Structures are given as C-alpha cells and as structure tokens.
Amino acid sequence: MDDERFTRRLEAFSDIVIGFSLAQLGANLTLTSKGNTFFSDPGALLGFLFPFAIICSVWFIHHRLFSYIFVPRTLPVILNFVWLAAVVLLVFAAEAYMRDASSAAAFRAYFACYATVYGLLAVQNVIAMGYAKQRHDELASL
C-alpha cells in the first residue's frame, strides 16, 4: 500500500473515532427529572460545551498535521492510535468529572487525559517536523 493512500485511510479512521467521541459526548447528555433546567444551568452547559470545544480543537490540530507534515512511519502511526485512545478516554473522563466535580480522582483523570491528548499531538508534530527536515521539505522551515 502506498504511503499517501495509507495516510488518507488512517486520517479517515481517526476522523471516525473523533466523530464517535463527539457522538458519545452528545449521547451522554442525560436529562434528569429537571430536564428543562439543562439549558438554564451554566454548569450543565459548560459540562457539554467545554469537552466539545476540546474535541473540536484536537480534531483541527490533527487535521493540520495530516494535511501538511504527517509521515506514515511506525512510530507516528502507533502514536496516532495511542492518541485516538486518549481522545476517547478524554470524553469519558470529562463526563465523569462533570457528573462529580468534587471527586479528586475524576479531576485528575480528566486533566491527565487532557494533557495526554495535547502532549501526544505535540510529539506527533515534532516527529513529523523532523521527518520533513530530513526530506528538506519547505514546511519544515516554517
């Protein structure tokens, strides 16, 4: 399989996982007996909007990585799968944290997942830039 085709398929798979993460986030908006207060409760709205914004931002950074500098070598591919797992965990950790913001374990899990997701994206970008420099790619000088 050629590198370009593999990269496009890996990006498509990643988009699907991110899409499912967003769907999971939306599906877990359970309405309590006071369902009508969801839209008037700033905490409930933030509990949805903040994780949604995070997932959208990591999708954007991931898309830029794949659009410009991703190189389908073993380490970047493995890191991408680990990153996808971290994105899925981030959604679950966000839900756990929003359900019980007083839980120290939920707080740690949420922010550890958040840091892991962005950290893995940063590492992927650094590795890709290293490959781009090896190829003397003009994007590596940006």
Side-chain angles (χ1 to χ4, degrees):
M1 185 182 312
D2 67 350
D3 284 353
E4 187 175 331
R5 178 175 151 85
F6 178 77
T7 299
R8 295 300 150 232
R9 291 190 50 79
L10 182 59
E11 183 178 21
F13 176 76
S14 299
D15 286 347
I16 290 168
V17 171
I18 293 167
F20 279 132
S21 295
L22 288 172
Q24 182 68 31
L25 183 63
N28 283 326
L29 290 175
T30 56
L31 296 178
T32 64
S33 60
K34 298 177 185 175
N36 59 344
T37 63
F38 175 78
F39 293 102
S40 62
D41 178 7
L45 283 173
L46 284 176
F48 168 74
L49 292 175
F50 191 68
F52 183 84
I54 291 169
I55 301 301
C56 289
S57 75
V58 296
W59 173 86
F60 181 76
I61 295 167
H62 185 265
H63 169 70
R64 305 261 313 164
L65 169 69
F66 270 73
S67 294
Y68 295 110
I69 58 175
F70 183 80
V71 178
R73 300 292 182 264
T74 303
L75 182 58
V77 170
I78 290 170
L79 284 174
N80 190 69
F81 286 125
V82 172
W83 177 79
L84 289 171
V87 167
V88 172
L89 285 175
L90 175 62
V91 170
F92 287 108
E95 292 167 359
Y97 176 62
M98 295 318 290
R99 288 194 201 299
D100 185 10
S102 64
S103 167
F107 178 84
R108 283 192 302 271
Y110 175 62
F111 286 100
C113 287
Y114 181 76
T116 300
V117 164
Y118 280 102
L120 285 168
L121 274 177
V123 169
Q124 287 182 9
N125 276 282
V126 167
I127 290 170
M129 290 300 288
Y131 284 130
K133 285 181 182 179
Q134 289 174 0
R135 293 189 318 254
H136 305 290
D137 191 325
E138 65 186 51
L139 289 171
S141 62
L142 296 177

